[in-house]
Amino acid sequence: MLSHHDRTELEKIERSLELSDPDLAAALRDGKRPKSRALRSAFLIVVDVLAVMLLVLGLVLPDPGITLCGILALTGTVWTHVARHRI
């Protein structure tokens, strides 16, 4: 059994966590693991590399369709990185 002081301190920590990171607080409350940002970051890096390779392939080959796909893919990856860092 916790003392009154310990319960008060835990409640303060809980309120602080709820204000600073509500997603983590909800995950801890529900018993779920928070989503892994490392996996998401690794996936974005793979998509970045593929987009650059597509653009280079489109510039080497005389096919404007591949170049356009590479430009669109790079635009999407840049937009995704900017949107991630704004949150």
Side-chain angles (χ1 to χ4, degrees), residues 5-83:
H5 174 70
D6 290 340
R7 281 183 284 176
T8 305
E9 291 299 314
L10 283 175
E11 289 172 2
K12 287 179 187 176
I13 293 170
E14 183 180 351
R15 282 193 301 269
S16 173
L17 180 62
E18 186 71 39
L19 291 174
S20 66
D21 194 353
D23 293 334
L24 178 61
L28 291 173
R29 190 180 323 107
D30 298 339
K32 297 178 183 176
R33 294 179 57 152
K35 295 178 183 176
S36 172
R37 291 185 182 201
L39 181 62
R40 191 178 313 146
S41 295
F43 178 73
L44 281 176
I45 290 171
V46 168
V47 171
D48 291 342
V49 170
L50 289 175
V52 169
M53 288 175 51
L54 187 62
L55 181 62
V56 169
L57 182 66
L59 293 174
V60 170
L61 297 177
D63 189 358
I66 295 176
T67 305
L68 179 63
C69 287
I71 291 170
L72 292 174
L74 277 177
T75 304
T77 58
V78 167
W79 179 81
T80 303
H81 284 288
V82 169

